[in-house]
Amino acid sequence: MADILIADDDAAIRTALEMFLTGEHHAVRVAADGDAALAAWRERRPQLVILDVMMPKKSGWDVCREIRASDPLLPIILLTAKGADQDKVIGLGSGADDYIVKPFSLAEFLARVNAALRRGKAMAGGAAAGTEGTAAEGPRIGVYTVRRDRHTLVAPDGGETELTRVETKLLTYLAARAGETVAKEDMFLACWPEGHRPVSRTLDVFMSALRKKMPLSPDAIRTVRGIGYRVG
């Protein structure tokens, strides 16, 4: 059983998902807008947050960013009627772990919820095991170190730049294969939520954003035209 928070301004969807997950033996709390979602999250930390993107007072994107600023490990799923590639980039860029495009089946919804809970449990376990570690023990990209537990990029002077979960996964994966040319397809499979197949342009957007966060190592991530990317 997991403690799950659902925020959606559509009462019918909110009630249906609450009843469904309660039937799956989860403890479910609901909110009808972004402010209520943040209040519920602050009151008691759930194990999973599910946010509709288009909500009054605060959008799901904004709520996700506020939660992620202080809680880098909490699994967050976005529900959206928007299916455009740029909207997905915004969703993952805001710190979400996954997104589900409406309309969706309850079978797909449950699969995504279970996958998010598994990832959350694994991330929490990994963070607990690594609490004695230091930034120097993380993977290195150029002169920077990736703090996987904090989702930040650490500069030589100790300054930290925030990373999204996907950015952390991308840098960790590239660092683990330093010296190799990594195909885009491999990066999609390793770093994106289950069941999603982003277009090539999506990855290019993420790589461009990462390079801007690494001004001291502008050539640390190299583009191998027609194939993918290379570090080292």
Side-chain angles (χ1 to χ4, degrees), residues 59-127:
S59 71
W61 292 328
D62 290 336
V63 174
C64 183
R65 291 187 187 98
E66 289 197 37
I67 292 175
R68 191 57 76 217
S70 61
D71 195 336
L73 301 180
L74 178 62
I76 301 174
I77 296 175
L78 292 180
L79 303 180
T80 176
K82 297 173 178 283
D85 183 61
Q86 186 59 33
D87 292 314
K88 297 174 184 177
V89 171
I90 294 172
L92 293 174
S94 69
D97 299 280
D98 200 356
Y99 52 85
I100 305 176
V101 179
K102 300 175 182 178
F104 51 82
S105 70
L106 289 177
E108 176 192 6
F109 176 73
L110 182 60
R112 298 287 182 81
V113 165
N114 288 338
L117 290 171
R118 286 195 301 270
R119 289 195 298 270
K121 185 176 181 180
M123 291 287 287

Side-chain angles (χ1 to χ4, degrees), residues 220-231:
I221 303 174
R222 302 176 185 176
T223 300
V224 181
R225 194 172 300 278
I227 301 176
Y229 294 92
R230 179 188 180 96
V231 165

